[in-house]
Amino acid sequence: MIQAYGLTSDSRKALPPAVDDVSFEAHAGRVTVLLGAPGSGKTTVLRLLLGLQQGRGVAYFRGRPLHRVAHPSREVGVLLGDVPGHPARTVRGHLRMLCAAAGVAVRRADEVLEVVGLVSLRDERLGGLSRGMDRRLGLACALLADPHTLVLDDPADGLSGRESRWLYGMLRAHAEQGGTVLTTTADPKEAARVADRVLTLERGRLVADQEAAVFARTRLRQRVAVRSPHALRLAAQLTREARAAQRSVEVVQEGGNRLSVYGSSCADVGETAFRHGILVHQLADEIGDMGPGAGAENKTAGNRAAGSMTAASVAVGTGGTPTESGPVTESGPVTEQAPSAASPHVITSPEYPAPTDRPVGKDDPRPPRPESHAEPPASPSPPSSPRLAAHTPDGLPALPPPLSVRSAPSPLRPLRYEIRRATGVSTGFLTVAAVLLVSALTAVLLGGAGHTAQARLLTAWPVQLPLPPAALGAGLLGALAFGDEFRHPALAADRGTVPRRLGVLTAKLLVAAVTALTLAFLTVGCDAEVLYLVYGQELVRVPADWMALGVSWLGLVVGCAWAGVLAAGVFRSTTAGLAAVVAVPVVVVPVVQKAVQSASVRTAAGFSMRLRETLLVQWPFGGERYVDAAARVLGQPVGGAMALSLTALLCAYLLTTLRGRAR
């Protein structure tokens, strides 16, 4: 159940808010539809509901605000706009990454892919999907963690009529099993056909909250549907007679040979056609839309189905007696059951699949399943189970099998998620290859020019550059760790922004450190090998103080990677993360050098010896050398500046985390 109270968006530049004081309830076991023309505030309401947009008001999901829900992805499945994912990531890779984020088994990705009919496109890139396939993938992402509530923004956009009927059949099945469904649409016919309750928005305000039957009776406008090979001639005669009789009659040509006549009756239209000898193929009263002028954009949404997605209407004969035949199409009548007051949404047609069973969690109010359909909670159904193989009469699969989740302190598996995020696209591998190539070429040029220190030669670090290519590459990879999250927010659908959990930060720092260390070792190895091949043994000698230089080198590369991660997490941008990395030697190092050279600052020379004298113990295995090397690294301007920058960025990250939690 969803409860929303006083949802109001923040106004900008003295303009009225896009959404103003919207309050409603979406009950479990029912499909609730937010209806409104484009620009009426439907998407803004959903974003305020999920905390994706700043504003006022409160929203509760089964009595709890979303930020208080321990496992938000298992509580709410969200589809807003396009699927938020890197365009170079594969369909299956994206879902497997979300499985790690939600803490479910990776086989769940294959199960939902089969359900939404994307098995053949599982290796397709997200950027190459059509609009309809993208909506299918969005539904798969929403169903991945088996949520109780589905919040979908115009889910049928881009789907054919058959696919739309299948999609709404899945939503109906989800609601029939006790789940909550909240969706939006701009087509009143679609709302009347699929909804149990219709919430009408106009200019950001809720103007009606009605049952579907009441909505169809009071908000939809009655019309006469006419099909004739002489539609233009009949329209002219109807308009001429209405003007002569001073009656308010509107005639709208729907396209081809179809007319919609508002303000008249079947008898009047039939008599006019008979008097003028005009052949009529169809003549029926319908309740199908809100009339002409109610939103020209609605015609586009209505024509998406190309005639397959007909109105939820009741046909009336010429004598005024209701019949059980629905709207007549070119292929013949569509038999539907007239909606009753008790259940206005029930339609006896093969468009909706039968509801399937779903598991009942520990805090799930959904009714229990019959004993004959019970499944052991410890083992989810394999992809080849009969439930998954079951298909609707349209040939499309039904809901995915139930999900059995192992109890854990948190559903987020940050390290597994971060590894799949980093390896799911080729950006990291291309960056490493580019760094190695640039480093090798730079080392060859420096070796030929001469007068370059051995340490700088092996790391391809010219004096003119503030940072070597390996450090810049590590900083870029670190910045991408959070920058891609904000550009393609795979984790943001249920949190409003990228989750600033310490587990996510720790995983990103760990993966960034491992990547940076690998890059540092590969860079030195490749540079040494290239120098040996070009110039021989002379330029690849190991320096005498290789330990201190090695620690400094590894610390520099890892520090740049961490600076990129933290800066991108604070400023929400890859560019800002890389800029923070470059700012360390350009801005922070001169400041630190100036501070170190002042008379009030003492040097760290002899720190290990003084520490040994203070502790009055001998360092085992010559440990004073390692301590002295670490002290020298921190005593260097670059090392001190890097430590200072990392400390400042970490404090800023923690501050933004605490501020986000307070909100």
Side-chain angles (χ1 to χ4, degrees), residues 260-593:
S260 293
V261 183
Y262 298 89
S264 185
S265 63
C266 285
D268 293 339
V269 174
E271 290 175 1
T272 300
F274 178 76
R275 284 195 301 269
H276 295 86
I278 300 176
L279 178 64
V280 174
H281 291 167
Q282 177 197 7
L283 189 61
D285 285 333
E286 288 185 356
I287 301 176
D289 62 13
M290 301 178 72
E297 298 88 349
N298 293 350
K299 292 183 179 179
T300 303
N303 293 336
R304 262 196 330 259
S308 299
M309 196 165 139
T310 57
S313 59
V314 180
V316 182
T318 54
T321 304
T323 65
E324 291 186 356
S325 61
V328 181
T329 63
E330 293 182 355
S331 58
V334 179
T335 304
E336 296 181 353
Q337 179 180 346
S340 61
S343 59
H345 61 276
V346 177
I347 300 177
T348 57
S349 74
E351 296 178 355
Y352 295 105
T356 57
D357 302 321
R358 295 166 59 89
V360 180
K362 184 165 57 177
D363 56 348
D364 197 339
R366 289 176 281 188
R369 298 173 295 174
E371 191 66 26
S372 59
H373 296 280
E375 296 178 3
S379 58
S381 300
S384 59
S385 63
R387 282 193 53 206
L388 189 60
H391 288 67
T392 64
D394 275 341
L396 292 170
L399 282 175
L403 178 64
S404 298
V405 183
R406 298 178 181 177
S407 59
S410 171
L412 189 65
R413 305 296 193 270
L415 184 58
R416 187 185 307 169
Y417 166 81
E418 181 60 20
I419 292 174
R420 289 177 180 166
R421 184 208 62 78
T423 59
V425 294
S426 60
T427 304
F429 303 103
L430 294 177
T431 301
V432 171
V435 166
L436 295 179
L437 179 60
V438 172
S439 296
L441 293 178
T442 304
V444 171
L445 294 177
L446 292 177
H451 308 291
T452 303
Q454 185 69 19
R456 285 183 171 268
L457 189 61
L458 291 177
T459 58
W461 189 355
V463 180
Q464 296 79 9
L465 295 181
L467 288 173
L472 290 174
L476 176 59
L477 293 177
L480 288 172
F482 260 126
D484 278 348
E485 294 284 12
F486 292 103
R487 188 178 180 186
H488 310 291
L491 294 179
D494 54 6
R495 285 289 184 179
T497 183
V498 175
R500 297 183 179 275
R501 298 179 179 179
L502 293 181
V504 176
L505 176 63
T506 304
K508 291 185 179 298
L509 291 178
L510 181 59
V511 173
V514 173
T515 305
L517 291 174
T518 304
L519 184 59
F521 281 111
L522 289 177
T523 299
V524 174
C526 289
D527 292 347
E529 186 66 25
V530 171
L531 289 174
Y532 175 76
L533 292 176
V534 176
Y535 300 108
Q537 187 75 25
E538 182 180 358
L539 296 183
V540 293
R541 294 191 305 268
V542 178
D545 54 345
W546 64 271
M547 181 179 295
L549 292 175
V551 172
S552 300
W553 170 244
L554 297 179
L556 175 65
V557 178
V558 174
C560 288
W562 283 358
V565 171
L566 292 172
V570 172
F571 301 108
R572 305 186 178 189
S573 171
T574 302
T575 305
L578 189 58
V581 174
V582 178
V584 172
V586 175
V587 178
V588 184
V589 169
V591 174
V592 173
Q593 284 179 334

Side-chain angles (χ1 to χ4, degrees), residues 1-4 24-28 30 32 180-182 199:
M1 180 178 180
I2 302 175
Q3 296 169 301
F24 63 90
E25 290 185 355
H27 294 274
R30 314 193 75 191
T32 305
T180 303
V181 178
L182 177 63
L199 311 174

